[in-house]
Amino acid sequence: LLSIQLGCRDFQVVIDCKTIDVSYYKEYLESNRLFIGWNLKFDLKFLYRKSIIPNRVYDDYLAEKMQWVGYPSGQHSLSLKSAGYNYLNIELDKTVRGKIIYQGLTEETIKYSANDVAYLEDIRDKQLEKLKEKGLLTALEYENRFVRVLSYIEYCGVKLDIERWKRKMDNDQKILNEKLNILNKWVEEHYPNDKRFCKIDLQGYLFQEEAFDDSPQCIINWNSPQQVIPLLEAEGLNLLVKDKETGGMKKSVDAKVIKPQKDKSDIVQPYTEFSEAQKVVSTYGEEFLKQINPVSNRLHTQYNQIGADTYRVTSGGIDKGNKIKYINFLNLPADAETRACFIAEDGNAWISIDYAGQESALLASIANDELMLKELNEGSGDIHSLVASLVFKKEIGDTPLREIKKKFHNLRQIAKGYEFLVAYGGDANTIQQNYGKSKEEAEQIYNSYMNGLKGVQKYQQFCRKDVMDKGYILLNPLTGHKAYIYDYEILMEIKEEFSTEFWDKYNQLKASNPNHPIVENVRYYFKRKSASEKQSINYRIQATGAFCLRVALINFFDWILKNDLFNKVKISIIPYDEINCEAPKEIAEEVTSKLHYFMVKAGSYFCTRCKLDADISRLPDGTLPTYWIH
């Protein structure tokens, strides 16, 4: 920490932290005054290092970002410089930024630092006017409270068992080699004489005494799409996907494209297994060891508080200045071997609690679906089996729902995929594309789901209409968070042209000139309308899940502070519906009980028609582990 700057429009103070101990300001910084900053998550970690925890904060950056949720990244600048210009019509000189690191506190950098806080209050006042107009004031309160917690999670990080991780890396490489051999062997068996894919050594080595190997050898470089594409196309696979950048079509060898086409060729399984093993080796290997902090001896990452339009936290990102690609803590493999590598400090226990069937419970409650609620409140609580009984009615018959998981485990797993796909706005076409089903099969699956879950059907109809009526998605009425349809005005302008005469003209142009602007506009309208309707269905559930976690963490963090457990109870990883922390063994059960209480309480606030419970991970003997299990 090099400096701290405090102040308002009328005066500013710059503190040289290399000569002044910032702890002198602890009482001031922890007072009940409101501290305003820009991207406070960055600043708070420096204070946490000194055990200084500001009580009330307002983050201008978050307030700005909330107004543009739903807009494409980069469409609106989220810099302090832009805010100064947009709200106050002033030019904030940011060219000095960075000089403090190698020049120290010179007259130039002191003035820059002071100027950095001079306009924050004025920007806040202007923002509050906008936020009030948009109905976002309550949502902002949540975000300003949560930034303190997320900063703490970044600050805490997580401890990695280095030796165990190295053993995992060796095992991952071994698995990758096995999958590569299987894949190569498949090619050698199916295309032994195709020179594009295999070679046969007919010459050997002049001074070689033993017989040389004249069997076919696969020569495909599996890291080269140019070499892989001809093979996959020879097997009849469709590799065309839409390019998100250009809008045109391109060929892809991504496993996500290949996997749904497993019925077309038996190369799909070995290829996707190889791809998945390769991803594990490249993503979850040496980089983890490199990023262990030499001071804390723990892994730390960066979190993005509003990382998605659903307000889900995201993790990772790139620090261009230090050339670091931060680890994505929220996308770690769920296998036992990987998770066991994340451990508590000596003398601590690992506490892991996750919401039980969070998305299904929230959907049932928000959609007020009678069949789902009955199963959750009075039956087995197994929504996946309920969906399986609907879409596989012929195969499962009258089997009680409690027995489906055991008797029809495979069908239940397949139904689980259909459940999430349709619940979030997918239709028969989506099922057909994602699962390689025929049109008739896909329609049968979709109709079986919708005809059985009438509440979900009604909820989706409401979501589709509501978003096109308002131009935004009210993510949750209790918090007031919103996600905006960035081109809503354009869509409404296009729609205003629709009339009987318009459609007559459109049909003629579509046949004679398919690239005419009118035809393009209609195509654009219905494409964006469909996307917005799916978002309206999907976002409300995912966002409410994110708010459950936010509220639970806010209350848990307040409890940690109230009980003087800062730096003793460490919150480590928060993958979507799960909270992982560590605490001294002598108080670990109390901490577990409190965290469970706060998670269930937050769940009851948002999930009112059925109970949203949370599961505590324990060892077989009922005790808490010292490492991550789930």
Side-chain angles (χ1 to χ4, degrees), residues 21 25 68 145 148 211 350 520 562 598:
D21 186 352
Y25 299 89
W68 300 93
R145 292 186 67 187
R148 297 164 71 238
W350 183 284
E520 291 283 1
K562 184 179 178 181
F598 289 128

Side-chain angles (χ1 to χ4, degrees), residues 99-197:
K99 287 186 179 182
I100 191 172
I101 293 175
Y102 57 87
Q103 289 185 0
L105 288 177
T106 64
E107 183 176 348
E108 182 184 31
T109 58
I110 289 171
K111 287 183 177 179
Y112 165 81
S113 299
N115 206 42
D116 228 19
V117 297
Y119 301 100
L120 293 174
E121 190 172 3
D122 289 340
I123 290 172
R124 170 182 174 268
D125 292 343
K126 295 290 186 180
Q127 284 180 331
L128 288 176
E129 293 175 12
K130 296 282 187 182
L131 291 161
K132 186 176 181 180
E133 288 175 14
K134 295 175 183 243
L136 290 172
L137 290 178
T138 300
L140 179 61
E141 289 181 23
Y142 281 93
E143 298 310 312
N144 280 331
R145 292 186 67 187
F146 185 56
V147 70
R148 297 164 71 238
V149 190
L150 199 59
S151 303
Y152 184 60
I153 298 170
E154 276 193 17
Y155 167 73
C156 288
V158 64
K159 189 173 180 62
L160 185 72
D161 186 328
I162 295 174
E163 294 307 314
R164 193 163 192 164
W165 188 260
K166 288 179 178 177
R167 292 197 297 272
K168 183 195 106 66
M169 288 170 58
D170 290 340
N171 189 50
D172 289 342
Q173 186 61 54
K174 181 181 176 183
I175 292 171
L176 175 59
N177 293 341
E178 291 172 354
K179 299 300 181 184
L180 176 61
N181 289 334
I182 291 171
L183 187 55
N184 284 339
K185 187 176 180 182
W186 187 96
V187 176
E188 290 159 3
E189 290 177 352
H190 288 77
Y191 292 91
N193 300 313
D194 193 321
K195 293 182 180 180
R196 294 176 299 170
F197 312 133

